[in-house]
């Protein structure tokens, strides 16, 4: 049964292991290849279990590894109970899971059930005839009714309905045409999914990440929507009210029966939407990651701070969020929020990792960010394999966009950037594989790799380890009240975390120049807990931070 024991803190919060943990995300295809086929695999992860343990992380979220035609690298599942052969066997999976558990690391599975693959047996059956028992596992629009009302697809420039000759009907797919959306109104579909979740929970997995789940419920009357609606995608396509009933049912059927948690990808467009998913009395999901953070790289620091502060304030008493700045759908952390120049890449990565690991909410670190791995330069569309990037390109062509400008943006923002292989050492292919990797290794691997950073006490990697340890050992960094200081400061993000009389001050310089902050709190400085430089300039009530300096100090 679910263990969420209530303990009385100075702030009333219920404790849970998934709140206190530090999560590390593994993109399995790119982590470590053990058998020389160019793809990462389970045995590769097993080889690196000691490394995972050395990071101090306590949870791993692994992107989908189920049987799949791999149109969207596994986000198109053709059998939810089978392993995609390139990752290994079920036995390898179990060995990997056992190895993690032995080291106190929990595993979070990616559950991709807004849609399946078009090669899933359900869809094969569904498309075969209009009276097949699986017909209403998906959304169909009979062609004799005319063209279906426009729905935007996130990946397909032709829209979210695709015509299928076999039964003279259109099917719906919010992502690629190879990812037909499941019909959650059908209770058979829902109970299939709960069975799949139980199958994995019985194997011992500890959590679920619900992929694209805010889109699962649809208004199946398919009303005509006004032109241009798709610009506010999550508002129109996400959080249709019956979603809550489904989540509650999932909670009763699966989540409540095990010591597990589930996290939502996307949580609507308002604070209330997110609360409605994760507040305890809702009995739906336990954690959410919303998308406000993702786009915040374009903002002034004061606006960035305002976003994090707004979400923290709203979730101070009830509900729980994850804290992240990057993942497999975004380009690299250091390029977007830090500074990728040789001079500042390392310090800015350390600063950003300090931030993620010192905020309230479960910290999510994407593999490679603990090294400060950076974007790869891919100026030509021929090098791209990602279904989303290719769809965007076709859309740009169709809409007559300036392709030079488009490619410049794609090169910087494309999710291909974060999918390059892990950089383990400076040998050929960064020690990821002995053959040609499925995706080009970033040429900067000779300089940025685990082996090199392991040896350097001041590396991004060792800073990450120190920071994880600090969080693991100090509940104030998990549950402590967050208070923003000097909110108008455009260079420095400063805040305190307070719990049961313990107080920590976090100071982060987000710029490439010295900058100072003045605060009466500075008088109370006690011990420096972490610092990515070897000194801290204090003068009376003023602290001057060096470029991208990150410091956490215990206050008296
Ligand atoms: C989610 C995943 C993304 C995937 C999409 C379709 O947004 O994070 O990688 O392409 O869903 O499943």
């Amino acid at each position: 049964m679910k263990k969420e024991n209530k303990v009385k803190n100075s702030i009333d919060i219920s404790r849970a292991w998934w709140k206190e943990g530090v999560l590390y995300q593994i993109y399995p295809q790119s982590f470590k290849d053990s058998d020389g086929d160019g793809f990462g695999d389970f045995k590769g992860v097993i080889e690196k279990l000691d490394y995972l343990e050395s990071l101090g992380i306590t949870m791993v979220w692994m992107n989908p590894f189920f049987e799949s035609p791999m149109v969207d690298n596994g986000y198109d599942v053709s059998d939810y109970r089978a392993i995609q052969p390139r990752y290994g066997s079920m036995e390898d999976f179990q060995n990997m899971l056992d190895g993690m558990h032995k080291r106190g690391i929990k595993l979070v599975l990616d559950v991709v059930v807004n849609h399946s693959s078009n090669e899933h047996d359900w869809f094969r059956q569904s498309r075969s005839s209009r009276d097949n028992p699986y017909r209403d596992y998906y959304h169909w629009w009979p062609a004799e009714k005319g063209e279906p009302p426009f729905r935007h697809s996130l990946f397909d420039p032709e829209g979210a309905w695709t015509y299928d000759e076999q039964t003279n009907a259109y099917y719906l797919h919010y992502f690629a045409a190879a990812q037909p959306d499941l019909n959650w109104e059908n209770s058979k579909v829902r109970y299939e999914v709960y069975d799949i979740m139980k199958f994995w929970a019985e194997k011992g997995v500890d959590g679920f990440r619900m992929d694209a789940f805010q889109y699962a419920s649809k208004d199946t009357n398919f009303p005509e929507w006004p032109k241009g609606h798709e610009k506010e995608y999550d508002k129109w396509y996400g959080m249709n009210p019956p979603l809550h009933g489904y989540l509650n049912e999932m909670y009763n059927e699966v989540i409540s029966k095990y010591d597990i948690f589930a996290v939502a990808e996307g949580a609507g467009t308002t604070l209330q939407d997110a609360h409605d998913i994760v507040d305890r009395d809702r009995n739906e999901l336990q954690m959410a990651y919303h998308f406000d953070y993702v786009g915040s790289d374009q903002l002034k620091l004061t606006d960035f701070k305002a976003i994090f502060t707004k979400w923290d304030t709203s979730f101070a008493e009830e509900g729980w969020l994850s804290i992240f700045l990057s993942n497999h759908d975004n380009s690299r952390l250091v390029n977007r929020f830090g500074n990728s120049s040789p001079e500042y890449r390392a310090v800015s990565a350390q600063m950003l990792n300090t931030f993620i690991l010192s905020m309230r909410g479960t910290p999510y670190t994407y593999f490679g960010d603990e090294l400060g791995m950076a974007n790869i330069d891919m100026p030509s569309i021929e090098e791209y394999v990602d279904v989303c990037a290719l769809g965007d390109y076709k859309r740009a062509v169709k809409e007559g966009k300036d392709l030079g400008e488009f490619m410049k943006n794609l090169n910087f923002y494309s999710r291909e950037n974060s999918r390059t292989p892990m950089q383990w050492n400076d040998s050929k292919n960064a020690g990821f594989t002995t053959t040609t990797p499925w995706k080009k290794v970033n040429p900067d691997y000779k300089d940025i790799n685990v082996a090199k950073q392991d040896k350097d006490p001041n590396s991004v990697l060792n800073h990450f380890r120190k920071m994880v340890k600090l969080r693991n050992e100090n509940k104030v960094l998990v549950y402590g009240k967050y208070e923003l200081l000097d909110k108008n400061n455009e260079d420095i993000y400063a805040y305190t975390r307070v719990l049961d009389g313990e107080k920590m001050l976090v100071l982060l310089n987000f710029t490439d120049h010295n900058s100072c902050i003045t605060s009466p709190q500075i008088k109370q400085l006690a011990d420096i807990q972490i610092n990515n430089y070897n000194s801290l300039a204090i003068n009376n009530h003023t602290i001057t931070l060096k470029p991208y300096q990150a410091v956490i100090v215990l206050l008296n």
Side-chain angles (χ1 to χ4, degrees):
M1 283 302 287
K2 201 161 168 271
K3 292 172 214 143
E4 247 204 286
N5 47 325
K6 265 252 186 207
V7 292
K8 197 78 186 146
N9 276 299
S10 54
I11 46 167
D12 180 26
I13 195 103
S14 64
R15 292 183 63 171
W17 60 261
W18 40 265
K19 293 180 178 172
E20 296 177 13
V22 173
L23 183 144
Y24 182 77
Q25 184 189 345
I26 292 183
Y27 200 67
Q29 194 150 285
S30 302
F31 196 61
K32 177 74 178 99
D33 174 19
S34 75
D35 58 2
D37 65 356
F39 297 100
D41 48 45
F42 293 151
K43 283 193 175 141
V45 176
I46 294 173
E47 278 175 32
K48 296 297 177 187
L49 284 172
D50 289 344
Y51 174 73
L52 295 179
E53 188 176 15
S54 82
L55 297 177
I57 55 104
T58 59
M59 295 185 249
V60 164
W61 151 30
M62 198 174 275
N63 295 92
F65 46 73
F66 315 102
E67 193 189 277
S68 162
M70 303 300 272
V71 170
D72 186 14
N73 282 344
Y75 281 96
D76 47 325
V77 180
S78 51
D79 184 344
Y80 292 93
R81 290 182 177 82
I83 306 285
Q84 174 69 8
R86 70 173 55 151
Y87 297 127
S89 63
M90 192 59 93
E91 194 187 340
D92 298 334
F93 168 80
Q94 199 66 55
N95 290 339
M96 177 183 74
L97 181 63
D98 294 347
M100 286 183 183
H101 284 167
K102 242 185 247 151
R103 291 164 171 82
I105 298 171
K106 312 257 191 192
L107 180 64
V108 178
L109 219 74
D110 219 315
V111 183
V112 190
V113 288
N114 166 68
H115 47 270
S116 73
S117 157
N118 60 347
E119 292 189 21
H120 195 291
D121 189 51
W122 298 336
F123 191 71
R124 287 182 203 275
Q125 301 254 10
S126 185
R127 81 192 317 181
S128 67
S129 78
R130 287 195 181 186
D131 52 14
N132 185 283
Y134 288 88
R135 184 66 171 179
D136 56 0
Y137 269 45
Y138 297 87
H139 300 281
W140 290 99
W141 181 273
E144 63 273 16
K145 278 172 70 181
E147 291 241 332
F150 174 71
R151 290 295 180 269
H152 178 81
S153 162
L154 290 163
F155 288 176
D156 188 340
E158 301 307 320
W161 292 103
T162 287
Y163 178 70
D164 198 44
E165 247 176 15
Q166 263 182 87
T167 55
N168 188 34
Y170 298 84
Y171 67 89
L172 186 68
H173 54 89
Y174 283 181
F175 294 90
Q179 296 167 298
D181 281 30
L182 285 158
N183 175 11
W184 274 75
E185 262 178 21
N186 182 349
S187 63
K188 284 198 200 130
V189 168
R190 303 202 299 273
Y191 279 81
E192 297 258 23
V193 170
Y194 307 149
D195 274 354
I196 291 164
M197 292 171 82
K198 282 190 253 182
F199 171 86
W200 290 101
E202 292 296 329
K203 287 198 181 294
V205 308
D206 308 283
F208 296 114
R209 175 231 182 221
M210 305 307 301
D211 179 71
F213 203 72
Q214 59 173 333
Y215 309 130
S217 169
K218 278 121 187 145
D219 180 345
T220 52
N221 297 315
F222 295 112
E224 292 285 350
W225 285 345
K227 272 213 163 91
H229 70 270
E230 67 279 5
K231 296 198 176 81
E232 294 174 300
Y233 201 80
D234 290 350
K235 188 169 154 217
W236 285 87
Y237 292 73
M239 303 294 290
N240 196 43
L243 184 76
H244 294 293
Y246 306 154
L247 288 172
N248 180 245
E249 189 177 69
M250 183 187 291
Y251 178 84
N252 291 328
E253 292 295 324
V254 187
I255 314 283
S256 65
K257 300 204 160 104
Y258 302 90
D259 182 17
I260 57 178
F261 78 102
V263 51
E265 183 205 20
T269 48
T270 63
L271 297 167
Q272 193 56 48
D273 282 346
H275 274 294
D276 287 348
I277 294 186
V278 300
D279 285 1
R280 276 166 297 169
D281 60 357
R282 304 281 308 180
N283 291 333
E284 295 187 21
L285 301 182
Q286 292 63 53
M287 198 192 291
Y289 70 85
H290 58 80
F291 293 144
D292 267 10
Y293 300 159
V294 177
S296 56
D297 61 322
Q298 312 256 12
L299 302 176
K300 290 194 304 193
L301 184 66
T302 42
D303 294 331
F304 177 88
K305 295 196 271 193
I307 288 182
F308 278 88
T309 304
K310 174 181 94 176
W311 281 89
D312 183 88
T313 308
S314 175
F315 283 77
E317 304 289 331
E318 184 51 65
W320 193 256
L321 301 171
S322 54
I323 298 286
F324 73 106
L325 287 176
S326 65
N327 58 29
H328 65 292
D329 289 332
N330 295 285
S331 57
R332 284 286 175 185
L333 168 86
V334 77
N335 295 80
R336 286 173 41 244
F337 297 95
N339 187 324
S340 60
S341 72
E343 197 179 356
Y344 296 126
R345 187 193 52 79
V347 270
S348 69
Q350 290 169 332
M351 185 277 290
L352 293 166
N353 286 331
T354 309
F355 169 66
I356 293 169
L357 287 156
S358 63
M359 289 291 286
R360 178 157 42 191
T362 303
Y364 282 42
T365 292
Y366 185 62
F367 88 92
D369 283 345
E370 79 276 25
L371 309 175
M373 270 174 65
N375 279 357
I376 186 165
D377 185 30
M378 289 188 11
S380 147
I381 193 68
E382 276 71 50
E383 290 188 76
Y384 287 71
V385 292
D386 173 31
V387 62
C388 174
L390 297 174
D392 285 350
Y393 183 77
K394 275 195 213 140
R395 204 187 300 271
V397 173
K398 196 174 160 192
E399 291 170 2
K401 289 216 169 108
D402 172 346
L403 290 182
E405 191 57 30
F406 172 84
M407 281 313 300
K408 211 171 118 204
N409 260 314
L410 190 68
N411 197 5
F412 187 80
Y413 281 109
S414 133
R415 48 190 205 168
E416 305 257 6
N417 281 303
S418 55
R419 298 177 178 188
T420 61
M422 177 67 168
Q423 295 165 201
W424 293 106
N425 55 47
D426 65 3
S427 71
K428 195 159 179 238
N429 296 319
F432 163 70
T433 182
T434 51
T435 186
T436 310
W438 76 278
K439 175 165 266 310
K440 194 167 90 183
V441 172
N442 194 320
D444 64 13
Y445 74 93
K446 296 236 180 232
D447 184 36
I448 305 171
N449 64 64
V450 173
K452 185 173 173 195
Q453 295 198 16
D454 238 342
K455 286 185 247 145
D456 172 4
N458 297 319
S459 65
V460 183
L461 175 60
N462 281 319
H463 179 88
F464 179 82
R465 288 178 171 136
K466 273 183 238 158
M467 194 53 223
V468 173
K469 187 162 183 283
L470 189 67
R471 181 166 184 115
N472 285 341
E473 290 173 355
N474 291 279
K475 292 292 160 278
V476 59
L477 291 178
V478 177
Y479 295 116
K481 184 176 182 317
Y482 156 98
E483 195 182 332
L484 177 66
L485 308 176
D486 200 2
K487 89 175 197 239
N488 296 325
N489 192 320
E490 276 301 352
D491 295 344
I492 292 176
Y493 195 163
Y495 46 94
T496 51
R497 304 291 313 274
V498 183
L499 182 72
D500 290 332
E502 201 179 342
K503 194 166 186 181
M504 289 210 190
L505 170 68
V506 182
L507 298 170
L508 309 165
N509 182 357
F510 271 70
T511 74
D512 61 1
H513 50 260
N514 285 349
S515 188
C516 56
I517 176 163
T518 302
S519 157
Q521 312 246 20
I522 288 164
K523 263 235 134 134
Q524 312 153 17
L525 297 189
D527 281 342
I528 293 185
Q529 305 293 306
I530 197 159
N531 185 357
N532 61 347
Y533 281 79
N534 51 22
S535 61
L536 181 63
I538 311 174
N539 188 357
N540 266 328
H541 289 188
T542 300
I543 290 188
T544 304
L545 295 177
K546 301 221 167 73
Y548 302 103
Q549 186 162 16
V551 192
I552 300 185
V553 199
L554 194 66
L555 297 183
N556 286 318

